[in-house]
Amino acid sequence: MIDLRALRDDPDRLRASQRARGEDESIVDRLLELDSGRRSALARFESLRAEQKSVGKSVSKASPEEREQILAKAKTLAADVKAAEAEAERIAAELDQTLSGVPNLVEEGAPEGGVDDFVVVEEVGTPREFDFTPRDHLELGEMLGAIDTERGAKVSGARFYFLTGVGAMLELGLLNMAMQQAVANGFTPMIPPVLVKPDTMEGTGFLGAHAAEVYQLPADDLYLVGTSEVPLAGYHAGEILDANALPARYAGWSSCFRREAGSYGKDTRGIIRVHQFNKVEMFVYTHPDRAHEEHLRLLAWEREMLDRLELPYRVVDIAAGDLGTSAARKYDCEAWVPTQGRYRELTSTSNCTDFQARRLNIRYRDEDGKPRFAATLNGTLATTRWIVAILENHQRADGSVVVPEALRPFVGRDVLEPINKK
RNA sequence: GGAGGGUUCGCAUAGUGGCCGAGUGCGACGGUCUUGAAAACCGUUAGGUCCUUACGGGGCCUCGUGGGUUCAAAUCCCACACCCUCCGCCA
């Protein structure tokens, strides 16, 4: 949710932001109009209510002869108050409704435009030249006895898989390495619930444009989370944090569930796009004035992981029109996937400023003792998908895969050897 | 799934229709006292929102949530949510 008072002071800022996202600018005038309507309706209600209270108080003190008259007045006042309150509530509800559809203000400097208008910030490493024809991750995964998508489909359907043997070891090692790096950087490790109540899911902004992506359990009125960002954002919902508790950095380890609605036919092979995967996610609550620098820090930590895994990748600055509802700025790191001849997203870090915190009512106490909304940020440290990049980039002609040095202690092997011939 | 108990200002409690947006104790913070500290004493101590601004204040809302009764609700009625205890069942 954006800040209405800030909007009143500087409506052009939201106009510019909406323009950058390619969204409706006229919403600004609509909001301003509803806001002033709500405030005058509220003032009307409040003065009537104040009168009602003072008249009501005089009832018990009135002499019997006045009593009748005062009661009659109180009665009409009660009706007026009720009507005024209903009107104020009606406008407030309309305002909330309109406001809930407004995405976060885009950070200055973010590229304008849509999906294809991202800016490549940096390319790191160079895609490897193969002196043999590289196998794709699924072929390698099958040779190594690491990935079984056929049985995944048998048991659970399309876009499900088993990680088997070294595949399971590889994922556990990767995620543990990510966890360890996070802890070394001062994060508190967390294993959160993956089923959350509607309030929490809504508060994080995932029931807006991406509602169709979310698994829902109607029998229990719960949602399966698509990322541990959701429970980690809900963790401090409704709280007022001590200023010196900030930044509060959490590393969430969880399974993630996504319906992948609307992506039929895309990435159907292997484990690039699946309904369930595991992820280590960084989540930070901080002071709004320090959110920008924290965002760059999260990006640096993501890059540290990619560097240690010796993967070629590029950093992209996502365009305004491709940002999520809550994000003011987003950077993705995309690793090179040799058999696709292109970069694929492995990490994503968003600065949500105080947008998410406003919805979830997450505040901190500033120097003056006043509660203020905190800023929230998130970023990926490792996911199941990383296995794709690791296998493909580090493969050898015989189908074996060299485990990057930094990962070896976590996997317990230097090389993954094929057990099935192809 | 069955039975019962609970939800008040950081914590603990008081409060069965107007004197309660709310008392007391603890904790925390500030002050007096002290060489320093403790004790004692004095004071402050929820959030939201709107108005006004001499920056000091004033109005309204919030006692789990929503609705109802009433001139008036923490207090009476209804529904729901959450928590706890016991029993059963399952991991």
Side-chain angles (χ1 to χ4, degrees):
Chain A
M1 204 186 334
I2 60 159
D3 181 5
L4 266 182
R5 263 176 293 194
L7 174 71
R8 251 176 251 155
D9 294 342
D10 185 8
D12 285 336
R13 176 131 187 256
L14 180 59
R15 286 197 186 94
S17 172
Q18 290 291 94
R19 213 178 307 131
R21 282 180 181 267
E23 295 202 27
D24 183 16
E25 248 180 275
S26 71
I27 196 110
V28 176
D29 294 317
R30 178 98 189 102
L31 282 172
L32 290 172
E33 188 187 309
L34 282 168
D35 178 48
S36 80
R38 180 192 56 113
R39 280 184 296 154
S40 61
L42 194 63
R44 211 154 42 233
F45 157 69
E46 284 179 357
S47 68
L48 278 169
R49 175 72 179 148
E51 193 183 351
Q52 182 199 22
K53 280 169 81 161
S54 75
V55 171
K57 275 194 177 125
S58 67
V59 168
S60 55
K61 298 183 200 97
S63 61
E65 50 271 20
E66 296 172 324
R67 203 183 182 90
E68 196 74 8
Q69 195 192 339
I70 291 179
L71 272 179
K73 188 177 181 195
K75 237 169 192 160
T76 49
L77 263 175
D80 292 348
V81 166
K82 212 165 198 174
E85 185 176 23
E87 173 66 1
E89 276 174 3
R90 189 189 61 78
I91 298 177
E94 199 177 336
L95 177 62
D96 284 349
Q97 169 87 38
T98 309
L99 195 58
S100 71
V102 179
N104 199 2
L105 289 164
V106 173
E107 184 180 287
E108 209 174 314
E112 296 205 2
V115 201
D116 302 319
D117 297 314
F118 59 84
V119 170
V120 177
V121 178
E122 195 179 338
E123 296 193 7
V124 181
T126 39
R128 185 176 147 197
E129 295 288 339
F130 288 91
D131 49 14
F132 58 94
T133 307
R135 298 178 167 93
D136 80 0
H137 76 279
L138 183 58
E139 193 178 341
L140 287 165
E142 286 173 346
M143 288 174 74
L144 296 167
I147 300 171
D148 188 339
T149 54
E150 268 177 45
R151 291 198 178 90
K154 177 175 77 177
V155 171
S156 302
R159 295 198 193 286
F160 285 95
Y161 57 94
F162 285 78
L163 291 182
T164 56
V166 292
M169 298 308 291
L170 187 59
E171 169 154 310
L172 286 170
L174 174 66
L175 295 179
N176 277 334
M177 177 178 157
M179 257 319 193
Q180 194 201 272
Q181 180 187 302
V183 170
N185 289 318
F187 284 74
T188 303
M190 303 277 269
I191 300 180
V194 293
L195 284 169
V196 299
K197 299 198 270 189
D199 282 356
T200 305
M201 192 52 93
E202 214 166 291
T204 48
F206 283 97
L207 291 185
H210 298 290
E213 268 300 289
V214 180
Y215 281 106
Q216 188 182 7
L217 281 74
D220 300 286
D221 203 17
L222 290 168
Y223 294 92
L224 272 165
V225 302
T227 160
S228 57
E229 174 191 346
V230 174
L232 291 179
Y235 189 67
H236 286 305
E239 297 182 15
I240 300 175
L241 304 167
D242 261 8
N244 58 25
L246 301 181
R249 298 190 176 104
Y250 299 104
W253 187 103
S254 84
S255 291
C256 305
F257 302 89
R258 301 188 180 179
R259 295 190 62 236
E260 295 300 341
S263 64
Y264 307 109
K266 237 197 262 176
D267 297 318
T268 48
R269 188 173 159 78
I271 57 166
I272 293 235
R273 189 181 296 270
V274 289
H275 289 310
Q276 179 187 336
F277 59 94
N278 293 309
K279 176 158 76 145
V280 171
E281 172 92 340
M282 299 179 282
F283 192 88
V284 181
Y285 298 85
T286 192
H287 191 289
D289 294 346
R290 295 199 289 264
H292 177 73
E293 54 190 82
E294 184 71 15
H295 195 200
L296 298 179
R297 229 172 268 136
L298 291 181
L299 177 60
W301 283 319
E302 294 179 347
R303 294 179 54 165
E304 186 184 339
M305 271 298 287
L306 291 161
D307 291 337
R308 290 167 72 201
L309 292 170
E310 301 164 45
L311 296 171
Y313 64 94
R314 67 180 188 183
V315 180
V316 303
D317 189 353
I318 301 298
D322 196 26
L323 292 173
T325 308
S326 303
R329 188 81 179 262
K330 176 158 99 175
Y331 297 102
D332 285 0
C333 293
E334 303 176 330
W336 179 255
V337 177
T339 61
Q340 297 195 357
R342 61 181 177 134
Y343 289 97
R344 300 299 309 257
E345 176 188 333
L346 287 199
T347 74
S348 182
T349 178
S350 295
N351 179 0
C352 295
T353 64
D354 61 357
F355 186 88
Q356 215 171 38
R358 212 172 276 283
R359 286 189 175 195
L360 289 166
N361 197 23
I362 300 160
R363 293 170 291 174
Y364 68 96
R365 215 172 275 286
D366 72 4
E367 302 71 31
D368 310 328
K370 290 265 175 290
R372 299 265 150 81
F373 288 106
T376 60
L377 302 98
N378 61 78
T380 320
L381 221 43
T383 68
T384 303
R385 186 188 274 182
W386 288 42
I387 290 173
V388 174
I390 293 170
L391 294 184
E392 292 206 13
N393 283 290
H394 297 306
Q395 66 176 298
R396 297 192 294 204
D398 62 356
S400 63
V401 172
V402 178
V403 178
E405 207 167 318
L407 186 55
R408 286 176 196 167
F410 296 95
V411 178
R413 303 241 196 145
D414 295 357
V415 177
L416 310 181
E417 298 287 355
I419 57 171
N420 304 309
K421 287 276 168 238
K422 277 259 167 177

